[in-house]
Amino acid sequence: MRIERVAIVTESFLPTVNGVTTSVCRVLDHLVGTGREAIVITPRSGAPVHYRGVPVHEVPSFAYRQFPVGLPSPQVAALLARFQPDVLHAASPFMLGGQAVAEASRIGLPSVAVYQTDVAGFARRNRLGAGAAVAWQAIRAIHNAADRTLAPSTAAIADLEAAGVRRVHRWARGVDLDGFHPDHRLGRDAASLRRRIAPHGETIVGYVGRVAPEKGLERLRALEGVPGIRVAIVGDGPAMDDVRRRLAPLRPAMLGQRSGETLRAAYGAMDVFVHTGAEETFGQTLQEAAASGLPVVAPRAGGPIDLVDHGTTGFLFAPDDAVALRRAVALLAADPALRARMGEAGRRRVLGRSWATVSEQLLEHYGAAARRAMRGADDLVGA
């Protein structure tokens, strides 16, 4: 069956910028571009009333560590009843998304739950004790109530299946292959940024992402003393002061939050991309860096395992192995030809991952969820 109307319930949306928001916006772009209708239901955070003509409905929320957390609300059921979607897309469901999936199950609406945030890892990291087990119980209940769960990496699939989540399928994320392109290195904005960060021609080692405790930016301390490099950090978040203090000996260039052309120029100014987080279910910025023609250095954990071909497109290091991180960056910093080879290989590897391609794959998952829900309804009628 062709899916025409999609209700997206997302725990994060504009103006908050993160992987969940980006993914939802790109899916909406594809739905609108292919003539489909959609609505967005999201926690209250000052979101726009419309996104590309798609109505955005906010529900009550509370703030936690600068994030709006959606509360269960009777508005969800009312909005679904009014819109009459063909499928529910729950993006990184937890409190709000969990309610939406339960409501979809109650009314026989097909649902797809997209796993994007390591909630259980968050509980462990913040020493919530039994909170990790409770988080997994909630994740299992929410995702098993959905007709299909989509996970972005083999590591995420393994975690979900080990926790007892059923009907898990892989759905990766797309990347803007035109917006993130090696040619941006030749642009005036990238050249200007290079002169500002590395006036003596140093190798620029860059990070792009949220500046938060879970991103492990303190791992960059391993780079202190590596000759001929400058470290640049693109992003913002609650750990800014702590990161500045911990990385003070590196004198990193703190470039703040960037998007659009300024983000593309930042990638264009870099020579090596280093990701430091060891709890990524995917790692969208690694794809953007690869599309920009950069070699990528990342922990051998979670999503990066699928995204980095060790020794070909970059290097993976054990999360606690500071020596391996330092060695990988030092090797790339000293060898421009190696950087070029790895950057070209990384670009080739992501060429089949445009947002149009992965969004079409998502529509196939929607259809599969709808067929499963229909079979369930047929079984009930037969009973």
Side-chain angles (χ1 to χ4, degrees), residues 41 44 57-60 72-82 99:
I41 304 172
R44 182 171 294 126
H57 304 276
E58 292 189 315
V59 299
S73 167
Q75 288 178 253
V76 174
L79 288 165
L80 293 177
R82 187 185 315 151
Q99 180 202 3

Side-chain angles (χ1 to χ4, degrees), residues 185-348:
R185 295 181 61 81
L186 307 176
R188 181 173 57 188
D189 292 342
S192 175
L193 191 57
R194 281 194 63 84
R195 289 193 297 271
R196 177 180 137 200
I197 298 172
H200 304 295
E202 299 95 333
T203 299
I204 297 178
V205 178
Y207 164 89
V208 177
R210 183 167 161 79
V211 181
E214 66 270 19
K215 298 302 182 180
L217 281 160
E218 68 277 2
R219 289 187 172 96
L220 292 175
R221 289 182 298 182
L223 304 184
E224 185 178 349
V226 174
I229 70 167
R230 286 297 315 278
V231 172
I233 295 174
V234 177
D236 201 352
M240 286 292 288
D241 290 342
D242 185 59
V243 167
R244 284 194 181 96
R245 178 179 58 80
R246 287 174 178 250
L247 301 185
L250 285 172
R251 296 182 299 111
M254 306 296 286
L255 303 180
Q257 186 73 48
R258 290 179 169 233
S259 61
E261 292 298 328
T262 60
L263 177 58
R264 294 163 189 165
Y267 279 115
M270 295 175 188
D271 298 297
V272 178
F273 184 86
V274 175
H275 187 75
T276 51
E279 296 178 0
E280 300 294 327
T281 58
F282 186 65
Q284 182 62 16
T285 58
L286 281 71
Q287 281 204 139
E288 294 171 354
S292 301
L294 298 175
V296 174
V297 179
R300 191 186 296 276
I305 295 173
D306 292 334
L307 296 176
V308 180
D309 186 353
H310 181 74
T312 300
T313 68
F315 295 108
L316 294 168
F317 62 93
D320 295 326
D321 192 344
V323 173
L325 167 57
R326 180 187 179 90
R327 185 185 302 121
V329 171
L331 179 61
L332 288 165
D335 193 338
L338 178 62
R339 296 199 301 267
R341 287 197 302 273
M342 286 189 162
E344 183 179 352
R347 171 74 184 181
R348 286 198 306 269

Side-chain angles (χ1 to χ4, degrees), residues 2-364:
R2 178 178 163 88
I3 301 297
E4 298 287 355
R5 298 165 68 84
V6 181
I8 297 182
V9 178
T10 176
E11 307 289 344
S12 176
F13 197 61
L14 299 171
T16 302
V17 178
N18 55 33
V20 176
T21 299
T22 298
S23 178
V24 168
C25 288
R26 298 295 80 79
V27 169
L28 287 169
D29 290 341
H30 191 73
L31 293 175
V32 171
T34 54
R36 292 170 167 87
E37 296 182 64
I39 61 169
V40 174
I41 304 172
T42 189
R44 182 171 294 126
S45 62
V49 176
H50 292 88
Y51 174 84
R52 293 200 58 185
V54 173
V56 178
H57 304 276
E58 292 189 315
V59 299
S61 67
F62 68 93
Y64 183 75
R65 293 180 73 232
Q66 300 184 7
F67 274 116
V69 178
L71 296 169
S73 167
Q75 288 178 253
V76 174
L79 288 165
L80 293 177
R82 187 185 315 151
F83 183 61
Q84 291 290 299
D86 297 321
V87 68
L88 170 76
H89 173 138
S92 194
F94 203 58
M95 291 182 68
L96 179 61
Q99 180 202 3
V101 170
E103 175 63 14
S105 180
R106 187 185 73 80
I107 64 177
L109 172 65
S111 60
V112 170
V114 182
Y115 180 73
Q116 290 181 254
T117 304
D118 186 1
V119 177
F122 172 85
R124 287 194 304 273
R125 184 177 58 257
N126 288 277
R127 296 183 175 87
L128 299 184
V134 171
W136 273 120
Q137 289 175 3
I139 290 168
R140 182 165 54 248
I142 291 167
H143 285 269
N144 281 339
D147 290 290
R148 179 166 284 221
T149 284
L150 304 181
S153 64
T154 54
I157 290 172
D159 287 344
L160 288 165
E161 291 181 339
V165 177
R166 303 184 297 273
R167 300 181 298 279
V168 184
H169 300 264
R170 187 168 176 190
W171 179 60
R173 303 294 176 266
V175 63
D176 181 353
L177 294 170
D178 295 322
F180 300 102
H181 195 284
D183 286 351
H184 290 300
R185 295 181 61 81
L186 307 176
R188 181 173 57 188
D189 292 342
S192 175
L193 191 57
R194 281 194 63 84
R195 289 193 297 271
R196 177 180 137 200
I197 298 172
H200 304 295
E202 299 95 333
T203 299
I204 297 178
V205 178
Y207 164 89
V208 177
R210 183 167 161 79
V211 181
E214 66 270 19
K215 298 302 182 180
L217 281 160
E218 68 277 2
R219 289 187 172 96
L220 292 175
R221 289 182 298 182
L223 304 184
E224 185 178 349
V226 174
I229 70 167
R230 286 297 315 278
V231 172
I233 295 174
V234 177
D236 201 352
M240 286 292 288
D241 290 342
D242 185 59
V243 167
R244 284 194 181 96
R245 178 179 58 80
R246 287 174 178 250
L247 301 185
L250 285 172
R251 296 182 299 111
M254 306 296 286
L255 303 180
Q257 186 73 48
R258 290 179 169 233
S259 61
E261 292 298 328
T262 60
L263 177 58
R264 294 163 189 165
Y267 279 115
M270 295 175 188
D271 298 297
V272 178
F273 184 86
V274 175
H275 187 75
T276 51
E279 296 178 0
E280 300 294 327
T281 58
F282 186 65
Q284 182 62 16
T285 58
L286 281 71
Q287 281 204 139
E288 294 171 354
S292 301
L294 298 175
V296 174
V297 179
R300 191 186 296 276
I305 295 173
D306 292 334
L307 296 176
V308 180
D309 186 353
H310 181 74
T312 300
T313 68
F315 295 108
L316 294 168
F317 62 93
D320 295 326
D321 192 344
V323 173
L325 167 57
R326 180 187 179 90
R327 185 185 302 121
V329 171
L331 179 61
L332 288 165
D335 193 338
L338 178 62
R339 296 199 301 267
R341 287 197 302 273
M342 286 189 162
E344 183 179 352
R347 171 74 184 181
R348 286 198 306 269
R349 196 161 189 242
V350 299
L351 286 178
R353 299 182 194 160
S354 70
W355 272 111
T357 298
V358 299
S359 294
E360 281 297 314
Q361 293 168 357
L362 177 61
L363 292 175
E364 293 175 6

Side-chain angles (χ1 to χ4, degrees), residues 372-383:
R372 180 183 184 276
M374 190 176 300
R375 287 196 302 271
D378 290 343
D379 290 344
L380 289 173
V381 171

